[in-house]
Amino acid sequence: MKAAVWYGKKDVRVMDVPEPKLPGENFVKIKVEWCGICGSDLHEYLAGPIFIPTTTPHPLTGGTAPITLGHEFSGTIVEVGSDVKKFKVGDKVAPDACQVCHECNPCKLGKYNVCEKLAFTGLMTDGAFAEYVVVPDYTLYKMPDEMSFEAGALIEPLSVGIHAVRSGPLIEGESVVIFGAGTIGLCTLLAARAAGAGKIYVVEVAKARKEFAAKMGAHEVLDPTEIDIKARILELTDGIGPDVVFECIGSDKVTPTAIEVARTGGKIILSGIYERETSLQINTIVFTDKTVIGSLAYAGDFKTAIDLVSDGRIDISPLVTGRIGIDDIIEKGFEELVNRKDENVKIIVKPY
């Protein structure tokens, strides 16, 4: 089968590889229908290895480069191990990407997203930029028959936004500012609307993403290259500041502003992944009794995401700005997102 395999920085190869076999009795084999290109895939392509193990095998999966990328996917089960009881051949599924130990303290607390041996499908073990992928059965979530496979491939990033909103938690009627209108920022916007947020304001510079934020329910989109962001946010919130701020970029320059604009006693949820250290004036938090919360990925949020999409409370389909085949994943996928990120949100890949 064809697969997009990471060998090193700027070295992802579309090549023939053997079809995977079930590595354990609790695993399933899935025929992949669509798989989205995630920011973490781009990071590995441009600057890796970041998460991909290259010398020491991963302690949970034993995985090491070369690794088949891809973790935002949907598909149909074609084979099940003998210990798999809740799923069968033919089930449509949208798998969680977290492979975990179930033994460490975070896992026992239900925070498996920060498992001490956390492995991500497509980073620490072969992923879904391939016709077939194998994953443990505990990662699986059934899709309703009427849900499209395209929508199923977007459940993973939507779950990140839902987890961030729950991490606050965001209370119905609260005012919100979201920094960043990439995939995670837009998913956070959708999740905040579904949770009953009051006014929602989005900060973004890219033209296409500003348009997406407006279409998907932002009450106003603010461009920091055109206006004084702090002044405008204060004006929009009657001089008080928003109740909840989401930083969905992972920017060392944006984060201090995100903390500063939140109201006294407000909450700042950080869901971006940072590439460098951030300098903060901690008294900005202490003197105003603010709460800063980290939010990584998701933990049990897939069912909620599937429910919200299937009953129509969230329309996730506008996020897709490109559909490509696996042979074009470098030029029309990775390079397209790198060179024309102002015009794209989510590109999904058909792996066969």
Side-chain angles (χ1 to χ4, degrees):
M1 65 175 187
K2 284 185 179 178
V5 184
W6 185 95
Y7 275 81
K9 176 181 176 181
K10 285 286 218 170
D11 186 7
V12 174
R13 308 175 193 176
V14 177
M15 56 190 292
D16 287 325
V17 300
E19 282 189 21
K21 296 185 173 156
L22 300 185
E25 299 306 319
N26 69 318
F27 278 73
V28 302
K29 182 176 179 179
I30 298 168
K31 182 177 178 63
V32 179
E33 292 294 334
W34 288 103
C35 185
I37 300 176
C38 176
S40 60
D41 298 318
L42 282 181
H43 284 312
E44 295 293 349
Y45 173 67
L46 292 172
I50 298 171
F51 295 111
I52 294 175
T54 56
T55 53
T56 304
H58 189 273
L60 183 71
T61 66
T64 186
I67 290 277
T68 298
L69 297 172
H71 62 270
E72 300 179 355
F73 69 102
S74 63
T76 305
I77 296 176
V78 295
E79 185 180 354
V80 298
S82 59
D83 289 344
V84 177
K85 308 301 181 187
K86 296 182 180 180
F87 301 90
K88 64 184 185 304
V89 171
D91 283 345
K92 293 171 62 176
V93 291
D96 184 324
C98 297
Q99 298 192 28
V100 301
C101 72
H102 301 292
E103 297 173 350
C104 66
N105 193 55
C107 280
K108 291 176 180 177
L109 291 173
K111 292 183 174 292
Y112 67 80
N113 56 318
V114 287
C115 169
E116 292 175 3
K117 294 182 180 179
L118 177 66
F120 248 59
T121 301
L123 290 173
M124 292 86 167
T125 185
D126 286 333
F129 286 137
E131 186 172 355
Y132 297 99
V133 64
V134 294
V135 294
D137 62 347
Y138 62 79
T139 66
L140 302 178
Y141 289 83
K142 288 183 183 178
M143 295 166 50
D145 290 339
E146 65 275 12
M147 181 179 286
S148 71
F149 285 112
E150 282 194 15
L154 297 172
I155 293 300
E156 198 271 355
L158 178 58
S159 297
V160 177
I162 289 171
H163 187 70
V165 167
R166 284 176 158 176
S167 294
L170 172 63
I171 298 170
E172 186 175 1
E174 287 187 320
S175 58
V176 170
V177 168
I178 299 170
F179 283 86
T183 300
I184 301 307
L186 291 173
C187 286
T188 302
L189 167 61
L190 293 171
R193 286 185 61 203
K199 297 290 186 180
I200 304 175
Y201 308 107
V202 173
V203 181
E204 176 59 61
V205 298
K207 181 176 181 292
R209 294 181 178 188
K210 288 191 290 186
E211 293 172 355
F212 270 96
K215 289 177 184 176
M216 298 176 82
H219 292 87
E220 188 168 324
V221 183
L222 315 175
D223 187 334
T225 66
E226 298 175 355
I227 62 171
D228 184 327
I229 288 295
K230 297 178 188 177
R232 182 56 179 158
I233 290 174
L234 279 176
E235 183 182 357
L236 291 167
T237 56
D238 299 322
I240 297 170
D243 298 302
V244 186
V245 176
F246 295 92
E247 205 283 0
C248 301
I249 304 170
S251 167
D252 57 308
K253 296 178 181 178
V254 171
T255 300
T257 302
I259 292 172
E260 187 176 342
V261 299
R263 69 163 171 82
T264 297
K267 294 171 284 191
I268 303 94
I269 291 80
L270 308 179
S271 58
I273 302 299
Y274 292 76
E275 294 183 349
R276 57 180 64 89
E277 291 184 2
T278 299
S279 177
L280 297 175
Q281 174 49 264
I282 299 301
N283 283 339
T284 302
I285 302 168
V286 175
F287 290 173
T288 53
D289 208 22
K290 296 177 184 179
T291 303
V292 178
I293 302 164
S295 177
L296 177 68
Y298 34 76
D301 301 287
F302 266 57
K303 183 181 185 306
T304 300
I306 290 171
D307 288 346
L308 288 169
V309 172
S310 64
D311 67 15
R313 281 177 286 173
I314 285 181
D315 181 8
I316 199 76
S317 58
L319 288 177
V320 177
T321 54
R323 299 165 180 82
I324 62 173
I326 194 166
D327 287 329
D328 296 321
I329 194 171
I330 304 300
E331 181 181 351
K332 296 182 180 179
F334 296 151
E335 290 294 334
E336 173 74 10
L337 288 167
V338 170
N339 298 320
R340 300 177 64 188
K341 64 180 179 181
D342 290 356
E343 301 174 33
N344 289 285
V345 177
K346 179 60 62 180
I347 294 176
I348 58 175
V349 180
K350 178 72 77 171
Y352 60 89

